[in-house]
Amino acid sequence: MSDADPVLLDLSSGIARIRFNRPHVLNALDEHAILAFKRAVETVAGDSTVRVVVLSGEGKGFLAGGDVGRFHSAGEAAAEVVTAIITPFHEALVTLTSLRQPVIAALHGAVAGAGLSMALAADLAIAADDAKFTLAYTKIGTSPDGGASWALPRVVGLRKAMELALLSDVIDAAEAERIGLVNKVVPAADLGAEVDRLAARLAQGPTQAYGRVKALLRTSLDHALPTQLEAEKQAFLGSVGTRDFREGVAAFVEKRKSHFEGH
């Protein structure tokens, strides 16, 4: 992997950093970039040493969506180009959202179209105060992809989701935090350090339990209460067999800090 690759992957100290690397187009996704992203996600999914995943973008923005210039240059073949991008994009997102490891989105500058979909797919999102958010799809005469139509109503409610999706207005970081699109807004200069602190904290946590928490929350709105209660029971029992559960219980009884290994 080189600095010229459209997506960079760094694995270090239990933290997998996936960084979009097409700054000349605000990291917009074309066929090559999305395949590189899919490969990076699959690599993370197959690495048992990973404890947390961080998504970020090189240059002036996080991710400005699909490469509209590529759609334009494709002319009559636009549908083929779109299919070549959306299919692996959706496959990668299924893998990403199924990871047991927490996924953090570090957001700055443009967070548009598929970039906002990507941010919604993450478990936690920290935004720089210079971030600008827009779903953008209707601006080019189309509808959302990347799971935005699934995630957005769950995050902000149906009425607000309709507003964001139909109007494609740009909102700033403060408004994104107010409506729940992001967990926290920090000064742009502090974004890297803030995300690093959060990633380090999660990398020291009970990774198996995190995976069960994520699965429970992501499916909860689709279940009746009795079904969800049974899912909670089975998830709890699954945790009981882990080394981290035994360590957490022992640390609680012994009144000391837990030292989780992710197993």
Side-chain angles (χ1 to χ4, degrees), residues 16 48 74 77 90 105 108 145 149 153 156-157 171 174 181 188 191 207 217 220 224 233 239 245-246 263:
S48 62
H90 287 182
H108 76 290
D145 64 355
S149 64
V156 303
I171 63 173
L181 276 180
L191 179 63
T207 310
L217 293 176
S220 62
K233 174 184 173 182
S239 295
F245 176 81
R246 292 192 293 274
H263 302 292

Side-chain angles (χ1 to χ4, degrees), residues 37-125:
F37 174 66
K38 182 183 177 187
R39 287 193 296 271
V41 171
E42 290 171 344
T43 297
V44 170
D47 189 335
S48 62
T49 68
V50 173
R51 306 283 293 278
V52 63
V53 181
V54 176
L55 305 176
S56 64
E58 186 65 42
K60 296 182 179 179
F62 172 67
L63 202 164
D67 191 336
V68 178
R70 179 72 184 98
F71 301 159
H72 183 263
S73 66
E76 295 299 318
E80 296 175 16
V81 170
V82 168
T83 299
I85 295 173
I86 287 183
T87 299
F89 181 31
H90 287 182
E91 291 169 349
L93 288 178
V94 169
T95 302
L96 184 75
T97 55
S98 299
L99 292 175
R100 60 191 175 90
Q101 300 93 337
V103 179
I104 307 168
L107 308 172
H108 76 290
V111 185
L116 183 49
S117 299
M118 192 83 70
L120 286 164
D123 302 307
L124 298 169

Side-chain angles (χ1 to χ4, degrees), residues 7-28:
V7 175
L8 304 176
L9 173 62
D10 176 72
L11 302 169
S12 178
S13 301
I15 302 173
R17 301 179 187 277
I18 298 175
R19 191 167 186 85
F20 300 103
N21 188 41
R22 302 184 76 218
H24 60 291
V25 288
L26 290 174
N27 299 316

Side-chain angles (χ1 to χ4, degrees), residues 67-214:
D67 191 336
V68 178
R70 179 72 184 98
F71 301 159
H72 183 263
S73 66
E76 295 299 318
E80 296 175 16
V81 170
V82 168
T83 299
I85 295 173
I86 287 183
T87 299
F89 181 31
H90 287 182
E91 291 169 349
L93 288 178
V94 169
T95 302
L96 184 75
T97 55
S98 299
L99 292 175
R100 60 191 175 90
Q101 300 93 337
V103 179
I104 307 168
L107 308 172
H108 76 290
V111 185
L116 183 49
S117 299
M118 192 83 70
L120 286 164
D123 302 307
L124 298 169
I126 309 297
D129 56 9
D130 68 351
K132 302 293 183 183
F133 301 80
T134 175
L135 209 53
Y137 291 93
T138 59
K139 293 292 187 182
I140 62 167
T142 189
S143 52
D145 64 355
S149 64
W150 184 92
L152 195 62
R154 287 166 163 78
V155 172
V156 303
L158 179 59
R159 187 73 70 187
K160 192 66 178 180
M162 285 288 188
E163 176 188 333
L164 294 171
L166 293 174
L167 302 181
S168 290
D169 287 340
V170 177
I171 63 173
D172 62 19
E175 176 66 3
E177 183 180 28
R178 188 188 72 80
I179 65 176
L181 276 180
V182 301
N183 298 96
K184 187 176 185 178
V185 175
V186 300
D190 298 338
L191 179 63
E194 185 70 26
V195 171
D196 285 349
R197 280 192 291 270
L198 180 57
R201 176 180 174 182
L202 290 168
Q204 295 173 7
T207 310
Q208 296 285 346
Y210 286 157
R212 292 184 172 92
V213 169
K214 289 174 50 172

